[in-house]
Amino acid sequence: MTDGQETTGRKGGKEGGSGGTGLDFARPLATVDVVIFAVRADALQVLLVQRGAGAGEPFPHAFALPGGFVDIDRDRDLEACAVRKLKEKTGVASPYLEQLGSWGSATRDPRGWSATHAYFALMPAAAADPPLAADAQWFPVHGESVKPRLAFDHGEIVKAAVQRLRNKVEYTSLPAYLLPGEFTLPELQRVYEIVLDRPLEKSAFRTRMLSADLIEPVARMRRGPNRPAQLYRLKKAKAPVYFARTFNPPG
Amino acid sequence: MTDGQETTGRKGGKEGGSGGTGLDFARPLATVDVVIFAVRADALQVLLVQRGAGAGEPFPHAFALPGGFVDIDRDRDLEACAVRKLKEKTGVASPYLEQLGSWGSATRDPRGWSATHAYFALMPAAAADPPLAADAQWFPVHGESVKPRLAFDHGEIVKAAVQRLRNKVEYTSLPAYLLPGEFTLPELQRVYEIVLDRPLEKSAFRTRMLSADLIEPVARMRRGPNRPAQLYRLKKAKAPVYFARTFNPPG
DNA sequence: TGAATAGTGTCTTTCAGACAGTATTGG
DNA sequence: CCAATACTGTCTGAAAGACACTATTCA
């Protein structure tokens, strides 16, 4: 910050009087947006909301990320704001939530200089299926984006979120957060494959997952029309595991 | 954003009249801070500035990160703002610059709800030695932090920056940006070792660096009181290289 | 020649890739 | 029994860890 040293950048210019707060200049709009991922119908999907069309509304009827202005009276910090937005749209209180970055410029919102703090969240499919909010809807990820053209720079943010997710899935246990509390290893592998959009070797996958201090078997099996599969759950530690190597050295 | 859907969170509450902008509520302060790294005197160092002690100045005389308020008239976007701060303190125009994240809460700045967009920068030691600004000073990183107690939550931000840097250095070519245009492989290895704070195997290091499509030899050698070393430079592509494995599988 | 640092070669270990083979259920 | 999926084993190759060895300069 070191704001006190600022000698330029004031807007009103009416800070000649000594003893002023030094804060009488225009501030950007501050928002929080959340890219919410789930694996539904064998595809990676993102939750979007349709914007209203009231007076002065930018991008009427367009789809956008769930989010909104930071409420300095209700939100203690940025993450609390993100959790609030998430809860409003999905009802889910605490999935995996990670900050993605921030996007701010003079032009991204026609109403003026604005900056958004973007988060991305992972949740099990069942958690918000269908979503709580009537204006919310799931869209599959195609390539690195979604079909509808999004409001603001949200297309760019979704793209960054997909890239970050894909990148981290190569060497972390993040996909575990896209599954319910109990899951089998083939189910976990399937989620990896859906997110990465390429098949993985079963044997290497199992070896890696079982040798990481990540999951533990529960005393139940998933039964089907074939050999039952062992059910696992995440170990206590909620923090994701980082592997020393990526899955398929690309190429 | 989807701000139009916000029905709560207004502050002034004076938006009863239809046709209003819907933007008449209090906004958080918006700042940008930069964690500037260099390797100087065989150590990883961070550039800090000392705060003034004018009226209403929080944290007088404390050290803080270079940064300041977003100037919505001068800064086209957040990165331009970060580049401006960096230029003011170091004179360097375009080193490696990456967004680190954002920190925002009601309590981090005594003047009110504020959010900072944090960046981290890597630059060669010679570039800002000594720093341009009189109030700026280099401090070595000890562990994950610096000696002086920092203003605001800047201690936390520095810690996050060091962690991010160390983590990425394990599998990227980032340290190349901490060296001047031409460097030898032993020099590059030394920078890796300083940042990671542990020795690396020479043979494996050289194999990795040379097989990555990262550096190319120039027609000169670094001469000294011993066998001369081949000088290299980064290949055209400025983007850092990502390796498939970390250096020392931890443990 | 010797100190010092640059750079190479060789053996071992680890783990993914490939893929064949065995195990256990329901129908 | 057969189909289907869960799970294991075995061989190979790529790259790191360890470390000895050679190469080239200046003093």
Side-chain angles (χ1 to χ4, degrees):
Chain A
M1 309 251 307
T2 52
D3 348 287
Q5 278 113 294
E6 280 289 300
T7 57
T8 54
R10 297 288 141 66
K11 190 176 186 183
K14 51 173 191 163
E15 53 134 356
S18 64
T21 63
L23 298 173
D24 50 348
F25 49 86
R27 305 177 182 188
L29 291 161
T31 60
V32 166
D33 292 301
V34 189
V35 185
I36 306 171
F37 288 108
V39 169
R40 303 169 72 252
D42 240 36
L44 181 65
Q45 306 206 359
V46 172
L47 190 68
L48 300 175
V49 297
Q50 194 158 21
R51 295 183 56 79
E57 283 291 339
F59 302 97
H61 302 305
F63 280 96
L65 292 171
F69 291 118
V70 172
D71 183 332
I72 67 173
D73 293 320
R74 294 171 65 193
D75 300 319
R76 272 205 310 221
D77 54 37
L78 290 174
E79 186 166 313
C81 181
V83 168
R84 177 169 65 85
K85 304 294 177 193
L86 202 95
K87 188 93 185 287
E88 286 170 6
K89 295 301 170 190
T90 66
V92 175
S94 64
Y96 178 82
L97 187 66
E98 172 180 329
Q99 201 185 64
L100 180 62
S102 55
W103 278 257
S105 78
T107 53
R108 61 182 295 277
D109 187 322
R111 292 166 297 188
W113 220 109
S114 82
T116 192
H117 304 265
Y119 284 77
F120 82 87
L122 307 180
M123 64 172 56
D129 189 9
L132 262 198
D135 57 348
Q137 202 175 320
W138 289 102
F139 287 87
V141 172
H142 288 114
E144 294 191 325
S145 194
V146 290
K147 275 266 195 51
R149 205 155 320 187
L150 300 189
F152 307 103
D153 49 7
H154 288 190
E156 192 186 326
I157 295 174
V158 167
K159 191 175 164 190
V162 172
Q163 287 173 345
R164 171 95 135 244
L165 176 63
R166 290 229 171 94
N167 189 43
K168 287 194 91 160
V169 163
E170 290 280 358
Y171 58 91
T172 68
S173 60
L174 282 195
Y177 301 103
L178 290 165
L179 286 170
E182 296 187 356
F183 51 85
T184 69
L185 280 179
E187 286 165 358
L188 182 59
Q189 180 174 352
R190 185 73 193 117
V191 173
Y192 270 87
E193 292 173 339
I194 288 169
V195 174
L196 293 177
D197 197 25
R198 75 169 189 264
L200 297 179
E201 281 304 311
K202 181 171 49 171
S203 176
F205 181 84
R206 297 177 66 92
T207 304
R208 174 184 284 205
M209 290 304 149
L210 290 173
S211 60
D213 188 42
L214 172 65
I215 57 179
E216 57 190 0
V218 299
R220 290 208 311 133
M221 309 287 276
R222 169 94 68 226
R223 311 194 79 83
N226 44 37
R227 177 172 171 177
Q230 179 66 52
L231 278 166
Y232 294 86
R233 67 173 171 217
L234 279 180
K235 284 193 178 175
K236 293 293 145 55
K238 297 294 288 179
V241 170
Y242 285 70
F243 305 113
R245 303 174 53 167
T246 60
F247 266 109
N248 268 325
Chain B
M1 309 251 309
T2 52
D3 347 290
Q5 278 113 296
E6 279 289 299
T7 56
T8 55
R10 298 289 141 69
K11 188 177 185 183
K14 52 177 199 164
E15 52 134 357
S18 65
T21 64
L23 299 173
D24 50 349
F25 49 87
R27 305 177 182 188
L29 291 162
T31 61
V32 166
D33 292 302
V34 189
V35 185
I36 306 172
F37 289 108
V39 169
R40 301 169 73 252
D42 241 37
L44 181 65
Q45 306 206 1
V46 172
L47 190 68
L48 300 175
V49 297
Q50 195 159 19
R51 295 182 56 80
E57 284 292 339
F59 302 97
H61 302 303
F63 280 96
L65 292 171
F69 292 118
V70 172
D71 183 332
I72 67 172
D73 294 320
R74 294 171 65 195
D75 301 319
R76 272 205 309 224
D77 54 38
L78 290 173
E79 186 168 314
C81 182
V83 168
R84 178 168 66 83
K85 304 294 178 193
L86 201 93
K87 187 93 184 288
E88 286 171 3
K89 295 301 171 190
T90 66
V92 175
S94 63
Y96 178 83
L97 187 66
E98 171 179 328
Q99 202 184 66
L100 180 62
S102 55
W103 278 256
S105 77
T107 54
R108 61 183 294 279
D109 188 323
R111 293 167 297 187
W113 221 109
S114 82
T116 193
H117 304 266
Y119 285 77
F120 83 88
L122 306 180
M123 63 173 56
D129 188 11
L132 263 197
D135 57 349
Q137 202 175 320
W138 290 102
F139 287 86
V141 171
H142 287 115
E144 295 190 324
S145 194
V146 289
K147 274 261 196 54
R149 205 156 318 185
L150 300 188
F152 307 104
D153 49 6
H154 288 190
E156 192 185 326
I157 295 173
V158 167
K159 191 174 165 190
V162 172
Q163 287 174 344
R164 171 95 135 245
L165 176 63
R166 291 230 170 94
N167 189 44
K168 287 193 91 160
V169 164
E170 291 279 357
Y171 58 91
T172 69
S173 60
L174 280 197
Y177 301 103
L178 290 165
L179 286 170
E182 296 187 355
F183 51 85
T184 68
L185 278 179
E187 285 166 357
L188 182 58
Q189 180 174 350
R190 184 74 194 119
V191 173
Y192 269 87
E193 292 174 340
I194 287 169
V195 174
L196 293 176
D197 198 26
R198 73 168 191 265
L200 297 178
E201 281 303 311
K202 182 171 49 170
S203 176
F205 180 84
R206 297 177 66 93
T207 305
R208 174 184 283 205
M209 291 302 150
L210 290 173
S211 60
D213 187 42
L214 171 66
I215 57 179
E216 57 190 1
V218 299
R220 290 207 311 133
M221 309 288 275
R222 168 93 68 225
R223 310 193 81 83
N226 45 37
R227 175 172 174 177
Q230 179 65 52
L231 278 166
Y232 294 85
R233 67 173 172 219
L234 280 180
K235 285 193 177 173
K236 293 293 143 55
K238 297 297 287 181
V241 170
Y242 284 70
F243 306 111
R245 301 174 54 167
T246 60
F247 265 108
N248 269 325

